Amino acid sequence: MRTARATGGGIGSGEAVAVEEVGARPVASDAADPRAVPEPAAELPSTVDVLVDNAGGAVGGGDLRAQWRANDEADVVAAVAFPTSPEAGHIIGRVLAVNGGAAPGR
């Protein structure tokens, strides 16, 4: 069975995409929480077939400009920094980027 490194572990959405859409065994973490990222890396095989990059989401609070900046940081930093980190594993296959976050206040 293929292995998928999945972000979006805060609510389990990355795991669901890995299983339902990719047919892979997920190893998930919440990339929005840096403390939660390294622990599951021990479960990874030497290579990872698919990265389900589903990190990010809606961040509320503050004025609209602050919300946009917080969302940009949560989505972009997680989407770019995580796949290039050692904790993501040695990805040899595809990257599936998913963004299902809602706009703040909606």
Side-chain angles (χ1 to χ4, degrees):
M1 176 176 257
R2 296 186 300 173
T3 300
R5 185 63 162 113
T7 62
I11 61 173
S13 55
E15 287 179 288
V17 170
V19 171
E20 298 295 325
E21 301 297 328
V22 180
R25 179 185 73 89
V27 177
S29 65
D30 182 0
D33 180 0
R35 297 167 298 187
V37 171
E39 190 174 310
E43 300 175 34
L44 292 173
S46 60
T47 58
V48 176
D49 301 297
V50 180
L51 170 63
V52 178
D53 194 2
N54 191 45
V59 178
D63 65 13
L64 184 58
R65 181 180 294 251
Q67 289 178 22
W68 275 91
R69 288 189 175 163
N71 279 292
D72 184 52
E73 183 172 331
D75 292 344
V76 174
V77 170
V80 174
F82 180 78
T84 60
S85 72
E87 289 84 1
H90 181 68
I91 302 164
I92 62 167
R94 299 184 175 165
V95 175
L96 176 60
V98 181
N99 186 342
R106 303 263 185 229

